[in-house]
């Protein structure tokens, strides 16, 4: 019987996961190098250690009946270590090996029968030139490992931009053809150990400079596209053999093709709306899946617009909350991070409405966002 959950990574995803796990009666230990992490603030205890400290990882394993993680850029060796020493851990290191490597991830998506943008891998400057020639311009060059929120990415509109690629020329890179998409979509889903997959409504995402700003759920797409997105996400989850909540991000092209961009083996920023708009959130589904409990059918009470609240470097105090919450349709989540560094995800709010999301709702959400500022 599972009574104690270990979480590698102490950020906001771990925090929201832990808040649910605590409500459900579990004991939670988190491992994160930063003391008093957002997740550590709400967990029973925190082990302060780097993610690749195998002794600390083993300590986490000993204190937990099952270990999971809240972000995918942890060392695979840490997850493997737990597996080899008989500790329960999910998702597995095999899942991580696919999702940590942008090239392996895109090949895997294609093996599952999904489409992706044209891509080529490149190790070093010469291969980069050949990959760019094969893929064509405009293109995006990304580091194969470790990038997130637009970090480790370079946009190339013309051959002249290639000179800006010094960083990418050294690290293993993927060159992707830039997609002129109609919109970005994501499917957050949960798979349990008996191969049941439950997907949340498709979400529509707006990014700026590679970082998620806003999610609209359900996405404003027709049923056929939603069906294809759900089917692809379920196939990917099953073929990965993942146990837990995961996310598949897509581009919807102007001609109606769905291209897989990324797979995240964990709850996802674009699934935050499920906390306030559904009876069982992506975090609770994850807890249920990893603890062997039944998954809950996805039922949406209301439509949602989720807006990320980012730091801007001007101060660490969030102001305007009183004015924001004067709108009763808004629920605010703040992650407990001390410094509101520019572009750092500090919190989010969800606006809940009856009926579909239209221009008026989006304008209201934007006006609400403008009420918040840092000082
Ligand atoms: P990623 O880290 O791959 O999720 O990229 C972050 C964001 O950058 C995506 O959500 C898109 O907005 C943009 N992006 C990444 N790859 C591409 C691409 N091949 N074509 C167009 N936009 C992209």
């Amino acid at each position: 019987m599972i009574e104690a959950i270990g979480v590698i990574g102490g950020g906001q995803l771990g925090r929201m996961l832990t808040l649910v796990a605590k409500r459900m009666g579990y004991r939670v230990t988190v491992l994160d190098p930063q003391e008093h992490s957002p997740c550590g603030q709400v967990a029973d205890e925190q082990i302060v250690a780097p993610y690749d400290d195998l002794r600390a990882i083993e300590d986490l394993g000993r204190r937990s009946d099952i270990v999971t993680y809240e972000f995918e850029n942890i060392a695979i060796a840490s997850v493997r270590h737990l597996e080899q020493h008989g500790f329960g851990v999910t998702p597995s290191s095999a899942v991580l090996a696919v999702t940590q490597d942008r090239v392996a991830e895109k090949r895997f998506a294609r093996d599952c029968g999904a489409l992706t943008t044209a891509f080529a891998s490149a190790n070093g400057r010469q291969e980069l030139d050949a990959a760019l020639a094969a893929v064509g311009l405009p293109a995006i060059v990304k580091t194969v490992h470790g990038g997130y929120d637009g970090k480790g990415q370079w946009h190339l509109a013309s051959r002249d931009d290639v000179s800006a690629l010094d960083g990418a020329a050294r690290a293993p890179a993927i060159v992707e053809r830039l997609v002129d998409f109609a919109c970005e979509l994501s499917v957050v889903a949960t798979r349990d150990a008996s191969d049941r997959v439950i997907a949340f409504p498709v979400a529509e995402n707006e990014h700026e400079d590679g970082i998620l700003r806003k999610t609209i759920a359900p996405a404003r797409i027709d049923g056929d596209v939603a069906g294809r997105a759900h089917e692809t996400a379920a196939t990917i989850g099953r073929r990965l053999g993942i146990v837990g909540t995961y996310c598949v991000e897509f581009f919807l092209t102007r001609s109606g093709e769905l291209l897989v961009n990324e797979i995240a083996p964990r709850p996802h920023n674009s699934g935050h709306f499920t906390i306030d708009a559904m009876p069982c959130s992506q975090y609770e589904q994850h807890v249920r899946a990893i603890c062997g409990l039944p998954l809950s059918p996805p039922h949406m009470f209301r439509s949602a617009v989720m807006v990320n609240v980012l730091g801007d470097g001007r101060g660490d105090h969030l102001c305007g909350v009183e004015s924001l919450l004067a709108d009763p349709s808004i629920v605010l989540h703040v992650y407990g991070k001390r410094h509101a560094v520019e572009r750092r995800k500090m919190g989010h709010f969800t606006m809940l409405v009856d009926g579909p999301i239209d221009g008026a709702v989006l304008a209201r959400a934007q006006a609400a966002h403008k009420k918040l500022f840092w000082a």
Side-chain angles (χ1 to χ4, degrees):
M1 197 169 78
I2 289 176
E3 293 178 342
I5 297 173
V7 182
I8 305 175
Q12 64 270 17
L13 299 168
R15 178 183 175 101
M16 290 180 264
L17 180 70
T18 299
L19 287 169
V20 165
K22 291 306 302 170
R23 167 168 62 70
M24 294 171 76
Y26 293 98
R27 179 176 169 72
V28 180
T29 306
V30 57
L31 183 147
D32 192 274
Q34 181 214 329
E35 223 170 311
H36 208 57
S37 65
C39 180
Q41 293 164 25
V42 297
D44 292 279
E45 51 183 353
Q46 179 176 338
I47 298 171
V48 179
Y51 306 123
D52 57 357
D53 177 340
L54 297 184
R55 281 173 84 172
I57 289 280
E58 216 175 302
D59 186 18
L60 179 71
R62 242 179 267 113
R63 296 188 206 193
S64 319
D65 300 312
I66 185 81
V67 175
T68 188
Y69 41 89
E70 59 109 43
F71 85 129
E72 65 269 41
N73 288 324
I74 55 170
I76 291 187
S78 299
V79 175
R80 243 181 232 141
H81 189 79
L82 289 169
E83 288 167 345
Q84 285 164 354
H85 288 77
F87 296 108
V89 57
T90 185
S92 68
S93 60
V95 170
L96 214 44
V98 174
T99 58
Q100 270 191 357
D101 178 322
R102 287 186 187 271
V103 175
E105 183 177 61
K106 285 213 162 50
R107 287 191 182 131
F108 180 84
R110 287 196 175 184
D111 286 348
C112 291
L115 302 172
T116 70
T117 188
F119 69 93
S121 65
N123 283 302
R125 185 61 209 227
Q126 250 185 340
E127 282 189 28
L128 201 55
D129 286 335
L132 272 168
V135 166
L137 290 165
I140 300 192
V141 178
K142 304 176 184 175
T143 52
V144 168
H145 304 281
Y148 66 97
D149 288 345
K151 290 175 191 156
Q153 299 193 4
W154 296 264
H155 286 238
L156 303 184
S158 74
R159 295 295 302 176
D160 298 343
D161 297 334
V162 176
S163 53
L165 278 179
D166 278 355
R170 281 186 296 271
I174 183 171
V175 179
E176 293 180 14
R177 181 67 188 228
L178 189 81
V179 181
D180 178 24
F181 50 78
C183 68
E184 293 189 69
L185 303 172
S186 61
V187 173
V188 174
T190 310
R191 178 180 173 274
D192 69 14
S194 40
D195 205 28
R196 185 156 186 238
V197 176
I198 298 243
F200 290 102
V202 181
E204 182 182 336
N205 302 315
E206 285 179 26
H207 292 81
E208 259 175 63
D209 301 327
I211 193 162
L212 182 69
R213 298 297 168 122
K214 190 191 296 162
T215 295
I216 296 165
R220 298 164 297 171
I221 52 175
D222 65 41
D224 161 64
V225 176
R228 280 189 282 139
H230 274 150
E231 207 177 297
T232 304
T235 304
I236 285 176
R238 291 205 162 97
R239 289 278 290 269
L240 273 176
I242 192 167
V243 173
T245 293
Y246 63 99
C247 177
V248 180
E249 291 182 80
F250 299 92
F251 299 122
L252 178 66
T253 68
R254 294 181 194 282
S255 57
E257 283 178 329
L258 270 176
L259 310 181
V260 170
N261 179 42
E262 263 201 313
I263 307 164
R266 51 165 174 79
H268 194 258
N269 193 165
S270 67
H272 287 352
F273 74 88
T274 62
I275 301 175
D276 303 304
M278 324 257 320
C280 182
S281 70
Q282 61 166 349
Y283 300 100
E284 179 165 346
Q285 292 285 56
H286 187 73
V287 171
R288 288 178 179 226
I290 70 173
C291 295
L293 299 172
L295 300 182
S296 173
H299 168 69
M300 212 163 165
F301 300 130
R302 309 179 83 185
S303 305
V305 183
M306 188 286 308
V307 179
N308 270 341
V309 177
L310 305 185
D312 62 10
R314 283 183 218 175
D316 296 333
H317 301 285
L318 183 60
C319 306
V321 171
E322 200 178 332
S323 167
L324 179 88
L325 294 182
D327 182 335
S329 68
I330 289 179
V331 185
L332 178 66
H333 298 252
V334 179
Y335 305 147
K337 297 180 184 177
R338 200 169 298 159
H339 298 301
V341 177
E342 202 178 345
R343 286 166 54 87
R344 190 174 196 197
K345 289 173 178 167
M346 300 298 292
H348 72 267
F349 68 83
T350 305
M351 178 177 274
L352 298 163
V353 296
D354 292 318
I357 304 293
D358 57 16
V361 175
L362 290 175
R364 248 175 70 210
Q366 195 173 341
H369 189 210
K370 286 209 174 112
K371 293 178 177 167
L372 294 175
F373 61 97
W374 295 96

